[in-house]
């Protein structure tokens, strides 16, 4: 009850009210069943809405970087544009291609989108707004998000098209390499926070974010994670698997209609997932800015609902991703692999050692200044 | 050891150049956008004065133009876009004199090379920058440049008859008229007529 007054805009209020309402009218089993269905529908709906919003935001920001206006004809400031795009992609014909490996060809988009769904479900969107809170959350997300590459490789292989094949192979090489560094960067923070559970991680960042808590080591890990995130989502300067000028569209050249839509959707959502995980692990997740001792200030910060904090932080990271994307030219494949194997990976390995020393010697900010930052 | 130093300095220079790149795009993000939202910005649209869109013959308030029907524009036109039809009129003194009957210009054939305007000895025709020339019918592209009932502007004789002093001002007058002429042709009424034609 206290929560209702101190955090009026929190979505947890709604979910708790629904829970008590359902449980007063039916047995626990049916109540849970209905809640599961609602959670599933909510996740799918959020997935679609976030994708649409991201496509619109990306097109607008891209345009601003190029001194254009972007979509502006459909609705005020063109906000209906991505809805119209969605309708178009839904009603487009799925072209059946003769000499493809039929089964793999039609399965591939589902691998990609299911992998991104699985990762999406584990993200803590706000206080209590998390579908599954595993005790191995970080590990789980890293594992399922890497399933997507199976879909990409299958798509390239089954298309029976040399461009798709080269694109998929490049994508595979890139993904497997950068996954390593990305996971190591997350591991650095796991060493510091001492847990893999997202909810505990967020709780641990109440007074100081992980990116500041481990100072040097954390910042390096953050930068490396963002670079790897870009590379894993095939975006930004790392989009050579779908380099239009050389490979037409890479692994999804032969796909049309809704199947292409799946790849497209998954690409945007992977960008969001990377930003969301970086927010949760490095930037305090949904936790509002809290300063130890200033209870009044903390209370005011709590009036801003936790999901708004999450969306805000994630938004900043997504903007950074777009900023990088429109700043740098595309890397060549050997440069790409050089960057990972000769630079990011060695730096990362040293970085983990440094983090271990920081944690063991008590040099993190919360250890050095327990009165300011300690939980 | 030196290779290790190279490795470290390589990372440093790479980070530096990446940050420079990011600042450049950051500044670009806030620059004025160049997109023209055309049908909406019709009122404020600025077209360069040098833009050659439509050949016109400026008429003054008395419905007089400067074309003497000499036909030089017609002769200079590389692809026969212009057709000057002259007629003979009788002057007050009873002399036969050549005058302009119709100055026909084909919008669809013109290459906008500007040769007619450059070679016109009496500056009778100019290119306006009213670029909205699309029509549904090809016949409407053939324009008659001189207006109905217009006639040749008489040369002013007063400056010559008066004291020689104001003579230097005399050549100026056609110049000022020429300046005024395009404005007159861009009158709102003129445009409205064109629009209704469509």
């Amino acid at each position: 009850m206290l929560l209702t007054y101190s955090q009026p805009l929190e979505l947890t209020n709604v979910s708790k009210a629904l829970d008590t309402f359902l449980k007063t009218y039916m047995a626990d089993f049916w109540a849970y069943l209905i809640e599961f269905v609602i959670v599933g529908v909510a996740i799918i709906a959020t997935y679609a809405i976030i994708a649409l919003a991201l496509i619109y935001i990306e097109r607008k920001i891209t345009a601003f970087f190029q001194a254009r206006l972007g979509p502006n004809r459909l609705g005020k400031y063109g906000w209906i544009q991505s809805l119209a795009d969605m309708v178009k992609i839904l009603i487009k014909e799925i072209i059946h291609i003769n000499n493809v490996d039929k089964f793999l060809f039609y399965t591939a988009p589902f691998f990609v989108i299911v992998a991104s769904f699985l990762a999406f479900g584990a993200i803590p969107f706000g206080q209590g707004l998390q579908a599954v809170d595993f005790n191995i959350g970080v590990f789980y997300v890293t594992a399922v998000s890497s399933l997507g590459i199976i879909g990409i490789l299958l798509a390239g292989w089954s298309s029976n098209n040399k461009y798709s094949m080269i694109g998929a192979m490049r994508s595979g090489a890139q993904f497997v390499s950068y996954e390593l560094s990305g996971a190591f960067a997350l591991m650095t923070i796991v060493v510091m926070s001492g847990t893999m559970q997202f909810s505990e991680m967020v709780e641990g960042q109440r007074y100081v974010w992980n990116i500041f808590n481990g100072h040097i080591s954390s910042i390096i890990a953050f930068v490396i994670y963002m670079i790897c995130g870009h590379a894993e989502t095939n975006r930004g300067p790392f989009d050579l698997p779908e380099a239009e000028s050389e490979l037409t569209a890479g692994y999804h050249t032969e796909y049309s209609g809704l199947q292409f839509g799946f790849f497209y959707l998954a690409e945007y959502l992977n960008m969001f997932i990377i930003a969301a995980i970086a927010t949760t692990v490095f930037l305090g997740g949904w936790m509002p800015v809290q300063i130890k001792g200033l209870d009044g200030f903390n209370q005011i910060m709590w009036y801003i609902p936790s999901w708004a904090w999450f969306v805000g932080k994630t938004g900043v990271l997504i903007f950074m991703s777009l900023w990088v994307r429109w700043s740098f030219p595309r890397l060549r494949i050997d440069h790409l692999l050089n960057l990972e194997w000769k630079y990011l990976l060695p730096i990362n390995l040293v970085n983990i050692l440094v983090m271990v020393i920081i944690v063991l010697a008590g040099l993190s900010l919360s250890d050095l200044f327990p009165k300011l930052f300690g939980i | 050891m030196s290779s290790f130093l190279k490795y470290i300095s390589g990372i440093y220079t790479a980070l530096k150049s990446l940050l420079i790149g990011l600042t450049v795009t950051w500044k670009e993000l806030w620059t004025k956008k160049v997109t023209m939202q055309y049908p909406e910005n019709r009122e404020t649209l600025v077209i360069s004065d040098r833009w050659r869109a439509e050949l016109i013959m400026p008429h003054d308030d008395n419905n007089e133009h400067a074309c003497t029907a000499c036909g030089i524009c017609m002769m200079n036109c590389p692809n026969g876009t212009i057709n000057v039809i002259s007629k003979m009129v009788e002057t007050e003194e009873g002399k036969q004199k050549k005058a302009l009957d119709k100055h026909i210009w084909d919008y669809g054939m013109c290459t906008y090379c500007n040769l007619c305007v450059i070679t016109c000895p009496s500056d009778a025709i100019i290119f306006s920058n009213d670029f909205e020339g699309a029509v549904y019918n090809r016949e409407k592209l053939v324009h008659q440049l001189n207006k109905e009932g217009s006639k040749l502007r008489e040369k002013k004789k007063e400056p010559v008859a008066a004291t020689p002093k104001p003579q230097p001002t005399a050549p100026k007058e056609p110049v000022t008229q020429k300046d005024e002429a395009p404005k007159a042709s861009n009158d709102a009424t003129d445009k409205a007529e064109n629009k209704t034609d469509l």
Side-chain angles (χ1 to χ4, degrees), chain A residues 232-302:
Chain A
E232 279 179 41
T233 47
N234 291 337
R235 294 172 60 79
F238 306 104
D239 56 350
L240 73 176
E242 38 197 283
E244 314 88 336
S245 48
E246 311 147 33
L247 298 177
T248 61
Y251 56 87
H252 56 61
T253 306
E254 302 291 351
Y255 287 90
S256 55
L258 196 56
Q259 292 179 317
F260 169 73
F262 278 175
F263 282 117
Y264 196 60
L265 212 64
E267 184 191 319
Y268 277 90
L269 252 295
N270 283 338
M271 175 169 86
F272 176 82
I273 288 167
I274 294 291
I277 291 170
T279 304
T280 310
V281 173
F282 291 95
L283 301 183
W286 46 260
M287 186 64 79
V289 173
Q290 304 273 283
I291 297 173
K292 210 171 190 180
L294 292 178
D295 285 337
F297 173 79
N298 291 350
Q299 184 51 45
I300 290 169
M301 285 296 126
W302 271 106

Side-chain angles (χ1 to χ4, degrees), chain A residues 13-32:
Chain A
N13 297 336
V14 182
S15 61
K16 280 196 176 134
L18 186 75
D19 184 52
T20 41
F21 171 78
L22 285 177
K23 279 182 182 166
T24 46
Y25 286 99
M26 56 189 80
D28 274 5
F29 173 78
W30 294 109
Y32 282 128

Side-chain angles (χ1 to χ4, degrees), chain A residues 61 63-70 72-73 223 319-320 323-324 326-328 342-344 346-347, chain B residues 7 10-11 17-19 21-23 25-26 28-40:
Chain A
I61 290 180
F64 292 155
F65 271 119
Q66 298 168 350
R68 295 185 287 115
L69 288 174
N72 61 351
R73 294 281 138 170
V223 171
F319 173 77
M320 270 176 64
W323 185 10
V324 167
W326 296 110
S327 299
F328 304 133
K342 287 193 185 167
Y343 292 91
L344 295 186
I347 292 172
Chain B
Y7 179 83
I11 293 174
S17 75
L18 288 179
L19 285 178
L22 283 177
T23 45
T25 42
W26 176 258
E28 196 56 39
L29 180 64
W30 304 103
T31 51
K32 197 169 172 294
K33 308 302 170 226
V34 295
T35 309
M36 294 276 167
Q37 293 180 283
Y38 164 57
E40 286 91 1

